[in-house]
Amino acid sequence: MFEGLDLELAAGRITGLLGPSGGGKSTLMRAIVGVQTVDAGDVSVFDVPAGSPALRRRVAYDTQAASVYDDLSVVQNLQYFAGVLGVKRSDVGRVLEAVGLAERSRQLVGSLSGGQRGRVSLATAMLGAPDLLVLDEPTVGLDPVLREDLWALFRGLADQGVTLLVSSHVMDE
């Protein structure tokens, strides 16, 4: 599907993948994070094969669908994933503030709106301050004000040296 593709992302920059639904953006992103089987060629991230254990703390992936547990609270989800990643629990507060959900930290994820659930999933990806954030349609279905807030967050992360790869099918993004 991506014959002859050679992609190099600049550190501390936001790179966008723009295209229609079904155009292969998610497939490419899954290959970069190492969860997509690649039929031919090689995919390397930071000079290491994609999906290698050495990349687990350096590369984070936020899928289109929220990847969190509905029967846990926001903070319980983040504490769980912090434990899985071996990240300090103190990082949970930082990411809650960053995505604007600190005041909803005790609420069950299943009772949140779709946009709020997506922000919990984004917060899990931000745990531990990865070097590369791969974000698949992170603003889909969000209101314009919240979309602008998230883009400001993404610009702030890039200013701190984080590399972001963001897919969208929305042209104005």
Side-chain angles (χ1 to χ4, degrees), residues 21-56:
S21 296
K25 299 180 303 294
S26 296
T27 300
L28 176 59
M29 294 179 125
R30 286 192 306 266
I32 289 169
V33 298
V35 297
Q36 176 73 44
T37 302
V38 179
D39 293 332
D42 298 309
V43 180
S44 295
V45 180
F46 301 120
D47 297 320
V48 177
S52 295
L55 295 173
R56 288 192 184 133

Side-chain angles (χ1 to χ4, degrees), residues 65-160:
S67 301
V68 289
Y69 295 103
D70 286 342
D71 59 340
L72 297 177
S73 70
V74 172
V75 73
Q76 288 170 328
N77 267 282
L78 293 170
Q79 289 171 341
Y80 170 75
F81 286 107
V84 168
L85 294 168
V87 173
K88 293 179 184 177
R89 283 188 148 200
S90 60
D91 202 35
V92 169
R94 176 187 65 85
V95 297
L96 274 172
E97 287 292 331
V99 300
L101 288 175
E103 62 281 348
R104 296 195 180 268
S105 66
R106 303 282 178 214
Q107 193 169 341
L108 285 180
V109 169
S111 70
L112 298 174
S113 71
Q116 291 166 332
R117 291 179 80 241
R119 285 189 283 155
V120 176
S121 191
L122 173 61
T124 64
M126 292 171 54
L127 285 167
D131 297 314
L132 172 63
L133 269 174
V134 179
L135 308 175
D136 197 357
E137 304 270 359
T139 62
V140 71
L142 299 180
D143 66 73
V145 173
L146 185 52
R147 281 179 42 208
E148 183 56 36
D149 289 347
L150 285 182
W151 278 104
L153 171 63
F154 301 157
R155 286 188 294 276
L157 289 168
D159 289 345
Q160 295 170 22

